[in-house]
Amino acid sequence: MPERDGCIKFIKISVVYFVIGVVLGYYMSVAHAYNLTGVHVHINLLGWTSMTLAGILYTLFPKTEASILGKVHFWLHNIGLPLMMLGLFFLLQGNNSLELLIPVGATMVLIAVILFAINILKNLKKEDVQALFNK
Ligand code: HEM
């Protein structure tokens, strides 16, 4: 991925999840389809909120974005979440034919989040934070 692309992609993808999440919430309210709450909350929290926050942190702290951990986080999160949501959507509609996608996707997202945490713990230094305020 070209330099500085990761943070922009995270933020742009997150706003797409935001739209999907609120459209689904709106549909659930109108149609009383509360069985889909599990999909709605994960799209909003893992898609919109978490990806926006990750994108902002990668923007503020380029060393974390440049790390291989940041790149692997991006791909695992962005492949795992849609797989998990697809499987969960079908399952909550009473169709378990895609159920396997839930543990597969969830494991990818879990690893993605752990790598993200390691990256921040390892590559975010006090001087990077200080540099933000000294510009
Ligand atoms: C137009 C925007 C939204 C609408 C119309 C909407 C609608 C809904 C509906 C109908 C439910 C189900 C309530 C129930 O099962 O009793 C729900 C649950 C929930 N929503 Fe949203 N939502 C919106 C935006 C968001 C956003 C932006 C987030 C988070 C970033 C969010 C997080 C949640 C959570 C965590 C729950 C589960 C609450 C619980 O089960 O206690 N929602 N929403």
Side-chain angles (χ1 to χ4, degrees), residues 18 21-22 25-26 28-29 34 37 40-41 44-45 48-49:
F18 194 20
V22 297
Y26 189 87
M28 285 159 48
S29 310
Y34 302 114
T37 299
H40 168 72
V41 302
N44 275 325
L45 296 172
W48 158 236
T49 317

Side-chain angles (χ1 to χ4, degrees), residues 7-79:
C7 52
I8 295 168
K9 285 202 171 110
F10 254 124
I11 293 170
K12 290 203 170 185
I13 292 170
S14 80
V15 299
V16 176
Y17 275 110
F18 194 20
V19 173
I20 296 170
V22 297
V23 167
L24 182 58
Y26 189 87
Y27 164 76
M28 285 159 48
S29 310
V30 173
H32 299 282
Y34 302 114
N35 61 317
L36 292 173
T37 299
V39 179
H40 168 72
V41 302
H42 287 92
I43 285 179
N44 275 325
L45 296 172
L46 279 172
W48 158 236
T49 317
S50 305
M51 283 204 210
T52 304
L53 287 172
I56 292 171
L57 289 175
Y58 287 137
T59 306
L60 292 176
F61 307 113
K63 273 187 239 160
T64 61
E65 189 202 12
S67 163
I68 182 74
L69 294 168
K71 296 177 192 357
V72 179
H73 167 211
F74 176 85
W75 287 109
L76 286 178
H77 200 135
N78 279 292
I79 296 170

